[in-house]
PDB file of all heavy atoms in Angstrom:
ATOM      1  N   THR A  11     112.583 117.660 121.749  1.00  0.00           N
ATOM      2  CA  THR A  11     113.585 118.622 121.308  1.00  0.00           C
ATOM      3  C   THR A  11     114.938 117.950 121.108  1.00  0.00           C
ATOM      4  O   THR A  11     115.147 116.775 121.482  1.00  0.00           O
ATOM      5  CB  THR A  11     113.729 119.755 122.338  1.00  0.00           C
ATOM      6  OG1 THR A  11     114.231 119.213 123.567  1.00  0.00           O
ATOM      7  CG2 THR A  11     112.387 120.431 122.597  1.00  0.00           C
ATOM      8  N   PRO A  19     121.302 107.651 115.904  1.00  0.00           N
ATOM      9  CA  PRO A  19     119.891 107.397 115.610  1.00  0.00           C
ATOM     10  C   PRO A  19     119.421 105.992 115.960  1.00  0.00           C
ATOM     11  O   PRO A  19     118.251 105.805 116.304  1.00  0.00           O
ATOM     12  CB  PRO A  19     119.787 107.654 114.105  1.00  0.00           C
ATOM     13  CG  PRO A  19     121.170 107.479 113.585  1.00  0.00           C
ATOM     14  CD  PRO A  19     122.057 107.960 114.669  1.00  0.00           C
ATOM     15  N   ARG A  28     111.569 100.517 122.581  1.00  0.00           N
ATOM     16  CA  ARG A  28     111.310  99.926 123.892  1.00  0.00           C
ATOM     17  C   ARG A  28     110.061 100.535 124.521  1.00  0.00           C
ATOM     18  O   ARG A  28     109.254  99.836 125.140  1.00  0.00           O
ATOM     19  CB  ARG A  28     112.522 100.110 124.810  1.00  0.00           C
ATOM     20  CG  ARG A  28     113.698  99.201 124.487  1.00  0.00           C
ATOM     21  CD  ARG A  28     114.736  99.214 125.602  1.00  0.00           C
ATOM     22  NE  ARG A  28     115.325 100.537 125.789  1.00  0.00           N
ATOM     23  CZ  ARG A  28     116.432 100.946 125.185  1.00  0.00           C
ATOM     24  NH1 ARG A  28     117.075 100.139 124.354  1.00  0.00           N
ATOM     25  NH2 ARG A  28     116.916 102.166 125.420  1.00  0.00           N
ATOM     26  N   GLU A  38     101.748  94.482 117.342  1.00  0.00           N
ATOM     27  CA  GLU A  38     102.873  94.332 116.429  1.00  0.00           C
ATOM     28  C   GLU A  38     103.591  95.668 116.182  1.00  0.00           C
ATOM     29  O   GLU A  38     103.561  96.219 115.082  1.00  0.00           O
ATOM     30  CB  GLU A  38     102.426  93.711 115.097  1.00  0.00           C
ATOM     31  CG  GLU A  38     101.973  92.271 115.243  1.00  0.00           C
ATOM     32  CD  GLU A  38     101.751  91.578 113.910  1.00  0.00           C
ATOM     33  OE1 GLU A  38     101.267  92.242 112.958  1.00  0.00           O
ATOM     34  OE2 GLU A  38     102.052  90.376 113.809  1.00  0.00           O
ATOM     35  N   SER A  49     113.011  99.735  88.455  1.00  0.00           N
ATOM     36  CA  SER A  49     114.086 100.400  87.718  1.00  0.00           C
ATOM     37  C   SER A  49     113.601 101.628  86.962  1.00  0.00           C
ATOM     38  O   SER A  49     114.403 102.482  86.573  1.00  0.00           O
ATOM     39  CB  SER A  49     114.739  99.410  86.748  1.00  0.00           C
ATOM     40  OG  SER A  49     113.766  98.897  85.833  1.00  0.00           O
ATOM     41  N   SER A  54     106.065 101.032  95.027  1.00  0.00           N
ATOM     42  CA  SER A  54     105.113 100.089  95.628  1.00  0.00           C
ATOM     43  C   SER A  54     105.417 100.002  97.114  1.00  0.00           C
ATOM     44  O   SER A  54     106.548 100.216  97.541  1.00  0.00           O
ATOM     45  CB  SER A  54     105.207  98.704  94.978  1.00  0.00           C
ATOM     46  OG  SER A  54     106.492  98.136  95.173  1.00  0.00           O
ATOM     47  N   LYS A  61     112.515  92.227 111.988  1.00  0.00           N
ATOM     48  CA  LYS A  61     112.953  91.063 112.759  1.00  0.00           C
ATOM     49  C   LYS A  61     114.212  91.314 113.577  1.00  0.00           C
ATOM     50  O   LYS A  61     114.500  90.573 114.514  1.00  0.00           O
ATOM     51  CB  LYS A  61     113.170  89.874 111.815  1.00  0.00           C
ATOM     52  CG  LYS A  61     111.883  89.337 111.231  1.00  0.00           C
ATOM     53  CD  LYS A  61     110.922  88.896 112.327  1.00  0.00           C
ATOM     54  CE  LYS A  61     109.618  88.361 111.791  1.00  0.00           C
ATOM     55  NZ  LYS A  61     108.684  87.967 112.878  1.00  0.00           N
ATOM     56  N   ARG A  66     124.003  98.388 112.577  1.00  0.00           N
ATOM     57  CA  ARG A  66     124.162  98.303 111.116  1.00  0.00           C
ATOM     58  C   ARG A  66     122.886  98.621 110.363  1.00  0.00           C
ATOM     59  O   ARG A  66     122.932  98.903 109.168  1.00  0.00           O
ATOM     60  CB  ARG A  66     124.650  96.902 110.740  1.00  0.00           C
ATOM     61  CG  ARG A  66     126.014  96.533 111.286  1.00  0.00           C
ATOM     62  CD  ARG A  66     126.338  95.080 111.003  1.00  0.00           C
ATOM     63  NE  ARG A  66     125.420  94.195 111.719  1.00  0.00           N
ATOM     64  CZ  ARG A  66     125.331  92.883 111.515  1.00  0.00           C
ATOM     65  NH1 ARG A  66     126.070  92.307 110.574  1.00  0.00           N
ATOM     66  NH2 ARG A  66     124.493  92.153 112.229  1.00  0.00           N
ATOM     67  N   PHE A  71     112.819  89.836 106.366  1.00  0.00           N
ATOM     68  CA  PHE A  71     113.011  88.657 105.517  1.00  0.00           C
ATOM     69  C   PHE A  71     111.873  88.543 104.513  1.00  0.00           C
ATOM     70  O   PHE A  71     110.731  88.925 104.793  1.00  0.00           O
ATOM     71  CB  PHE A  71     113.105  87.394 106.371  1.00  0.00           C
ATOM     72  CG  PHE A  71     114.354  87.345 107.212  1.00  0.00           C
ATOM     73  CD1 PHE A  71     114.401  87.975 108.442  1.00  0.00           C
ATOM     74  CD2 PHE A  71     115.496  86.701 106.761  1.00  0.00           C
ATOM     75  CE1 PHE A  71     115.548  87.964 109.217  1.00  0.00           C
ATOM     76  CE2 PHE A  71     116.661  86.685 107.520  1.00  0.00           C
ATOM     77  CZ  PHE A  71     116.684  87.305 108.756  1.00  0.00           C
ATOM     78  N   TYR A  74     113.143  86.433  97.743  1.00  0.00           N
ATOM     79  CA  TYR A  74     113.895  87.320  96.858  1.00  0.00           C
ATOM     80  C   TYR A  74     113.244  87.463  95.486  1.00  0.00           C
ATOM     81  O   TYR A  74     113.528  88.412  94.758  1.00  0.00           O
ATOM     82  CB  TYR A  74     115.334  86.818  96.697  1.00  0.00           C
ATOM     83  CG  TYR A  74     116.196  87.003  97.927  1.00  0.00           C
ATOM     84  CD1 TYR A  74     117.068  85.991  98.346  1.00  0.00           C
ATOM     85  CD2 TYR A  74     116.165  88.176  98.669  1.00  0.00           C
ATOM     86  CE1 TYR A  74     117.877  86.153  99.458  1.00  0.00           C
ATOM     87  CE2 TYR A  74     116.964  88.355  99.783  1.00  0.00           C
ATOM     88  CZ  TYR A  74     117.822  87.334 100.175  1.00  0.00           C
ATOM     89  OH  TYR A  74     118.619  87.495 101.285  1.00  0.00           O
ATOM     90  N   PRO A  93     104.505 103.327 111.697  1.00  0.00           N
ATOM     91  CA  PRO A  93     103.367 104.215 111.973  1.00  0.00           C
ATOM     92  C   PRO A  93     102.774 103.972 113.359  1.00  0.00           C
ATOM     93  O   PRO A  93     101.753 103.288 113.509  1.00  0.00           O
ATOM     94  CB  PRO A  93     102.371 103.828 110.864  1.00  0.00           C
ATOM     95  CG  PRO A  93     102.641 102.357 110.647  1.00  0.00           C
ATOM     96  CD  PRO A  93     104.098 102.125 110.963  1.00  0.00           C
ATOM     97  N   TRP A  94     103.386 104.547 114.354  1.00  0.00           N
ATOM     98  CA  TRP A  94     102.960 104.319 115.740  1.00  0.00           C
ATOM     99  C   TRP A  94     101.898 105.355 116.137  1.00  0.00           C
ATOM    100  O   TRP A  94     102.105 106.194 117.017  1.00  0.00           O
ATOM    101  CB  TRP A  94     104.173 104.382 116.663  1.00  0.00           C
ATOM    102  CG  TRP A  94     105.184 103.297 116.376  1.00  0.00           C
ATOM    103  CD1 TRP A  94     104.945 102.069 115.867  1.00  0.00           C
ATOM    104  CD2 TRP A  94     106.602 103.343 116.611  1.00  0.00           C
ATOM    105  NE1 TRP A  94     106.118 101.337 115.757  1.00  0.00           N
ATOM    106  CE2 TRP A  94     107.147 102.105 116.211  1.00  0.00           C
ATOM    107  CE3 TRP A  94     107.461 104.317 117.123  1.00  0.00           C
ATOM    108  CZ2 TRP A  94     108.504 101.812 116.298  1.00  0.00           C
ATOM    109  CZ3 TRP A  94     108.815 104.025 117.216  1.00  0.00           C
ATOM    110  CH2 TRP A  94     109.329 102.788 116.816  1.00  0.00           C
ATOM    111  N   ALA A  98     101.106 108.942 118.641  1.00  0.00           N
ATOM    112  CA  ALA A  98     101.375 110.118 117.802  1.00  0.00           C
ATOM    113  C   ALA A  98     102.845 110.184 117.414  1.00  0.00           C
ATOM    114  O   ALA A  98     103.476 111.250 117.461  1.00  0.00           O
ATOM    115  CB  ALA A  98     100.937 111.400 118.493  1.00  0.00           C
ATOM    116  N   ARG A  99     103.384 109.036 117.028  1.00  0.00           N
ATOM    117  CA  ARG A  99     104.786 108.976 116.631  1.00  0.00           C
ATOM    118  C   ARG A  99     104.930 108.235 115.306  1.00  0.00           C
ATOM    119  O   ARG A  99     104.150 107.341 114.991  1.00  0.00           O
ATOM    120  CB  ARG A  99     105.621 108.247 117.687  1.00  0.00           C
ATOM    121  CG  ARG A  99     105.898 109.051 118.939  1.00  0.00           C
ATOM    122  CD  ARG A  99     106.741 108.255 119.925  1.00  0.00           C
ATOM    123  NE  ARG A  99     107.106 109.072 121.078  1.00  0.00           N
ATOM    124  CZ  ARG A  99     107.804 108.626 122.112  1.00  0.00           C
ATOM    125  NH1 ARG A  99     108.229 107.359 122.140  1.00  0.00           N
ATOM    126  NH2 ARG A  99     108.085 109.428 123.121  1.00  0.00           N
ATOM    127  N   ALA A 107     119.175  98.903 100.708  1.00  0.00           N
ATOM    128  CA  ALA A 107     118.974  97.531 101.166  1.00  0.00           C
ATOM    129  C   ALA A 107     120.074  96.630 100.607  1.00  0.00           C
ATOM    130  O   ALA A 107     120.396  96.692  99.414  1.00  0.00           O
ATOM    131  CB  ALA A 107     117.613  97.016 100.717  1.00  0.00           C
ATOM    132  N   ARG A 112     124.035  84.321 104.084  1.00  0.00           N
ATOM    133  CA  ARG A 112     123.215  83.112 104.111  1.00  0.00           C
ATOM    134  C   ARG A 112     123.157  82.502 105.508  1.00  0.00           C
ATOM    135  O   ARG A 112     122.114  81.984 105.927  1.00  0.00           O
ATOM    136  CB  ARG A 112     123.757  82.087 103.111  1.00  0.00           C
ATOM    137  CG  ARG A 112     122.829  80.901 102.867  1.00  0.00           C
ATOM    138  CD  ARG A 112     121.516  81.356 102.290  1.00  0.00           C
ATOM    139  NE  ARG A 112     120.556  80.254 102.179  1.00  0.00           N
ATOM    140  CZ  ARG A 112     119.270  80.433 101.912  1.00  0.00           C
ATOM    141  NH1 ARG A 112     118.799  81.659 101.719  1.00  0.00           N
ATOM    142  NH2 ARG A 112     118.450  79.406 101.821  1.00  0.00           N
ATOM    143  N   GLU A 113     124.243  82.577 106.250  1.00  0.00           N
ATOM    144  CA  GLU A 113     124.245  82.018 107.604  1.00  0.00           C
ATOM    145  C   GLU A 113     123.239  82.747 108.489  1.00  0.00           C
ATOM    146  O   GLU A 113     122.536  82.117 109.290  1.00  0.00           O
ATOM    147  CB  GLU A 113     125.644  82.103 108.217  1.00  0.00           C
ATOM    148  CG  GLU A 113     126.652  81.141 107.602  1.00  0.00           C
ATOM    149  CD  GLU A 113     127.989  81.179 108.310  1.00  0.00           C
ATOM    150  OE1 GLU A 113     128.111  81.916 109.316  1.00  0.00           O
ATOM    151  OE2 GLU A 113     128.911  80.474 107.872  1.00  0.00           O
ATOM    152  N   THR A 115     120.518  84.280 107.444  1.00  0.00           N
ATOM    153  CA  THR A 115     119.193  83.877 106.990  1.00  0.00           C
ATOM    154  C   THR A 115     118.801  82.524 107.557  1.00  0.00           C
ATOM    155  O   THR A 115     117.698  82.338 108.084  1.00  0.00           O
ATOM    156  CB  THR A 115     119.148  83.833 105.452  1.00  0.00           C
ATOM    157  OG1 THR A 115     119.111  85.169 104.947  1.00  0.00           O
ATOM    158  CG2 THR A 115     117.916  83.090 104.946  1.00  0.00           C
ATOM    159  N   GLU A 144      95.020  75.743  95.376  1.00  0.00           N
ATOM    160  CA  GLU A 144      96.330  75.368  94.849  1.00  0.00           C
ATOM    161  C   GLU A 144      97.424  75.646  95.874  1.00  0.00           C
ATOM    162  O   GLU A 144      98.344  74.842  96.057  1.00  0.00           O
ATOM    163  CB  GLU A 144      96.598  76.150  93.558  1.00  0.00           C
ATOM    164  CG  GLU A 144      97.898  75.764  92.865  1.00  0.00           C
ATOM    165  CD  GLU A 144      98.104  76.525  91.564  1.00  0.00           C
ATOM    166  OE1 GLU A 144      97.102  77.018  91.002  1.00  0.00           O
ATOM    167  OE2 GLU A 144      99.265  76.629  91.124  1.00  0.00           O
ATOM    168  N   GLY A 159     108.456  68.573 113.686  1.00  0.00           N
ATOM    169  CA  GLY A 159     109.633  68.021 114.349  1.00  0.00           C
ATOM    170  C   GLY A 159     110.753  67.679 113.402  1.00  0.00           C
ATOM    171  O   GLY A 159     111.890  67.461 113.844  1.00  0.00           O
ATOM    172  N   ASP A 176     120.648 106.092 105.667  1.00  0.00           N
ATOM    173  CA  ASP A 176     121.408 107.328 105.510  1.00  0.00           C
ATOM    174  C   ASP A 176     120.648 108.509 106.097  1.00  0.00           C
ATOM    175  O   ASP A 176     121.206 109.600 106.231  1.00  0.00           O
ATOM    176  CB  ASP A 176     121.785 107.587 104.051  1.00  0.00           C
ATOM    177  CG  ASP A 176     120.596 107.517 103.107  1.00  0.00           C
ATOM    178  OD1 ASP A 176     119.526 108.045 103.452  1.00  0.00           O
ATOM    179  OD2 ASP A 176     120.738 106.941 102.020  1.00  0.00           O
ATOM    180  N   GLU A 179     114.221 109.845 110.466  1.00  0.00           N
ATOM    181  CA  GLU A 179     113.436 110.948 111.019  1.00  0.00           C
ATOM    182  C   GLU A 179     112.541 110.451 112.145  1.00  0.00           C
ATOM    183  O   GLU A 179     111.856 109.433 111.991  1.00  0.00           O
ATOM    184  CB  GLU A 179     112.574 111.581 109.935  1.00  0.00           C
ATOM    185  CG  GLU A 179     111.677 112.701 110.456  1.00  0.00           C
ATOM    186  CD  GLU A 179     110.720 113.239 109.407  1.00  0.00           C
ATOM    187  OE1 GLU A 179     111.051 113.167 108.199  1.00  0.00           O
ATOM    188  OE2 GLU A 179     109.642 113.726 109.798  1.00  0.00           O
ATOM    189  N   ARG A 191     109.743 117.314 114.183  1.00  0.00           N
ATOM    190  CA  ARG A 191     110.347 116.408 113.207  1.00  0.00           C
ATOM    191  C   ARG A 191     111.857 116.595 113.278  1.00  0.00           C
ATOM    192  O   ARG A 191     112.385 117.615 112.823  1.00  0.00           O
ATOM    193  CB  ARG A 191     109.837 116.697 111.800  1.00  0.00           C
ATOM    194  CG  ARG A 191     108.358 116.474 111.617  1.00  0.00           C
ATOM    195  CD  ARG A 191     107.919 116.852 110.212  1.00  0.00           C
ATOM    196  NE  ARG A 191     108.620 116.053 109.208  1.00  0.00           N
ATOM    197  CZ  ARG A 191     108.534 116.280 107.895  1.00  0.00           C
ATOM    198  NH1 ARG A 191     107.818 117.297 107.437  1.00  0.00           N
ATOM    199  NH2 ARG A 191     109.182 115.515 107.041  1.00  0.00           N
ATOM    200  N   SER A 198     127.698 110.121 104.137  1.00  0.00           N
ATOM    201  CA  SER A 198     128.383 108.938 103.607  1.00  0.00           C
ATOM    202  C   SER A 198     128.564 107.947 104.738  1.00  0.00           C
ATOM    203  O   SER A 198     128.474 108.312 105.918  1.00  0.00           O
ATOM    204  CB  SER A 198     129.747 109.319 103.021  1.00  0.00           C
ATOM    205  OG  SER A 198     130.654 109.672 104.053  1.00  0.00           O
ATOM    206  N   SER A 201     131.049 109.159 107.314  1.00  0.00           N
ATOM    207  CA  SER A 201     130.824 110.393 108.051  1.00  0.00           C
ATOM    208  C   SER A 201     129.930 110.162 109.257  1.00  0.00           C
ATOM    209  O   SER A 201     129.249 109.148 109.366  1.00  0.00           O
ATOM    210  CB  SER A 201     130.190 111.445 107.126  1.00  0.00           C
ATOM    211  OG  SER A 201     128.890 111.036 106.719  1.00  0.00           O
ATOM    212  N   LEU A 208     112.900 119.729 110.922  1.00  0.00           N
ATOM    213  CA  LEU A 208     112.076 119.997 109.759  1.00  0.00           C
ATOM    214  C   LEU A 208     110.781 120.668 110.175  1.00  0.00           C
ATOM    215  O   LEU A 208     110.220 120.356 111.228  1.00  0.00           O
ATOM    216  CB  LEU A 208     111.747 118.690 109.019  1.00  0.00           C
ATOM    217  CG  LEU A 208     112.934 117.808 108.613  1.00  0.00           C
ATOM    218  CD1 LEU A 208     112.417 116.536 107.945  1.00  0.00           C
ATOM    219  CD2 LEU A 208     113.886 118.552 107.706  1.00  0.00           C
TER     220      LEU A 208
END
Side-chain angles (χ1 to χ4, degrees):
T11 64
R28 286 192 297 268
E38 293 190 323
S49 59
S54 62
K61 291 302 180 181
R66 297 173 295 170
F71 292 84
Y74 288 138
W94 297 331
R99 285 180 175 178
R112 191 61 186 168
E113 289 185 3
T115 286
E144 184 178 338
D176 52 43
E179 177 186 332
R191 297 177 60 188
S198 71
S201 65
L208 306 178

